[in-house]
Amino acid sequence: METNVQQTVNHQLIEIPLEFKVACFISKIEVAEALQIFINHVTLYDTLSTGYVEGYSEASGIHETYVQSKGLTPAPGTGLTGCNELFVRSLSDVIKLTKDQKSTAAVKRKKSRSIIKAVFKAMKRVHTPSLTIYLDEEATIHLSEDFCLMCEIQNIYPKECLEYFMNSISLADAHARRDLQGAADLPISLFLKIGSGFGRDPHTRVNLNDTEIDFFAEMNEKLLELRTVRNVEQRTNILREFYLSHYLNMNH
């Protein structure tokens, strides 16, 4: 007798791409910290606002871009069933905040979070049942109320958006395009800001050992050499191999 076995998908288990691990390693930042900074800067307020605020505009834009990339017809969030009227009122209130010309973005964002909290408490959290996601036995990330609401509105799991962000990061490609015209896309723009200290503890000291000092010196030399290589894809491949070799040597 044939038995049907139903397979379930763990929507909380995050798959971390190797190239993202490499990018974090070279940038001297933990994977969990990079993801946490991204999460902390995704807000409903900044998604609706037309003004630019460093970090918030990029992170909220990444979340929105992922939803658009799915190409699905917008549908009411299943997690909002039972509190749709409250959500509509709250959405209207947040939109009014974005149009307030007298307050700063920080003040308006803070006000929006008190509005969002009421919806967060009322919604079912179909896609965000837990606020804590384990990357491994030790590293965890915490979902904000804003991030949870954004996922429930769009019927997506945090895993999807986080993996979209990570899969969009290639330090090799970013460095290969460094001296070319054109604005970087949102994911790499945010990641490079994080690598430069955005969202991180300003008191954290970055210590380099002798091997790392030698690597960064060699990296700068290689970046100068690659300016003569006209093909961006070729530049990227050379840097990708160079960065991966360093990562594997330091983590063998």
Side-chain angles (χ1 to χ4, degrees), residues 1-220:
M1 180 177 178
E2 189 174 329
T3 304
N4 292 324
V5 179
Q6 183 178 3
Q7 295 183 338
T8 59
V9 177
N10 186 343
H11 294 291
Q12 294 287 89
L13 184 62
I14 307 296
E15 295 182 14
I16 305 170
L18 176 59
E19 193 151 11
F20 187 75
K21 293 180 182 179
V22 173
C24 287
F25 185 78
I26 292 175
S27 301
K28 302 294 289 183
I29 182 171
E30 297 295 329
V31 168
E33 185 180 8
L35 293 179
Q36 191 65 64
I37 292 171
F38 168 52
I39 289 168
N40 292 348
H41 290 82
V42 173
T43 76
L44 179 61
Y45 170 81
D46 291 282
T47 300
L48 297 172
S49 176
T50 56
Y52 172 79
V53 180
E54 184 180 23
Y56 288 98
S57 295
E58 287 88 352
S60 300
I62 291 166
H63 195 286
E64 188 175 15
T65 301
Y66 169 66
V67 172
Q68 293 172 351
S69 73
K70 295 184 69 177
L72 300 176
T73 303
T78 53
L80 299 174
T81 303
C83 66
N84 194 55
E85 289 185 10
L86 172 62
F87 169 67
V88 171
R89 290 198 306 271
S90 300
L91 185 64
S92 177
D93 289 340
V94 175
I95 291 174
K96 288 178 182 177
L97 281 176
T98 66
K99 297 178 180 179
D100 177 9
Q101 301 295 319
K102 298 180 181 179
S103 302
T104 65
V107 169
K108 291 185 286 186
R109 187 180 301 108
K110 185 176 181 179
K111 289 181 179 178
S112 75
R113 283 175 173 151
S114 64
I115 296 171
I116 288 166
K117 184 177 288 291
V119 182
F120 176 80
K121 290 180 177 179
M123 67 186 187
K124 291 183 178 181
R125 288 171 54 194
V126 174
H127 298 84
T128 56
S130 175
L131 293 180
T132 301
I133 294 179
Y134 287 83
L135 299 182
D136 54 41
E137 292 182 355
E138 298 179 355
T140 61
I141 51 179
H142 180 80
L143 302 181
S144 67
E145 294 178 359
D146 252 302
F147 193 88
C148 288
L149 177 59
M150 293 296 294
C151 288
E152 296 297 348
I153 291 172
Q154 305 291 356
N155 287 318
I156 63 173
Y157 291 93
K159 165 187 171 72
E160 300 175 61
C161 190
L162 294 173
E163 290 180 355
Y164 171 78
F165 170 57
M166 290 189 290
N167 282 313
S168 301
I169 302 302
S170 169
L171 205 57
D173 182 69
H175 288 172
R177 298 176 184 275
R178 179 179 287 176
D179 58 344
L180 301 178
Q181 292 183 345
D185 60 16
L186 293 176
I188 196 63
S189 292
L190 178 61
F191 184 83
L192 292 177
K193 288 179 185 295
I194 295 172
S196 297
F198 175 80
R200 304 174 72 178
D201 184 349
H203 299 101
T204 300
R205 294 187 60 181
V206 177
N207 298 313
L208 302 177
N209 58 35
D210 291 341
T211 302
E212 289 172 319
I213 292 173
D214 291 341
F215 165 75
F216 283 113
E218 187 178 351
M219 181 181 79
N220 288 330

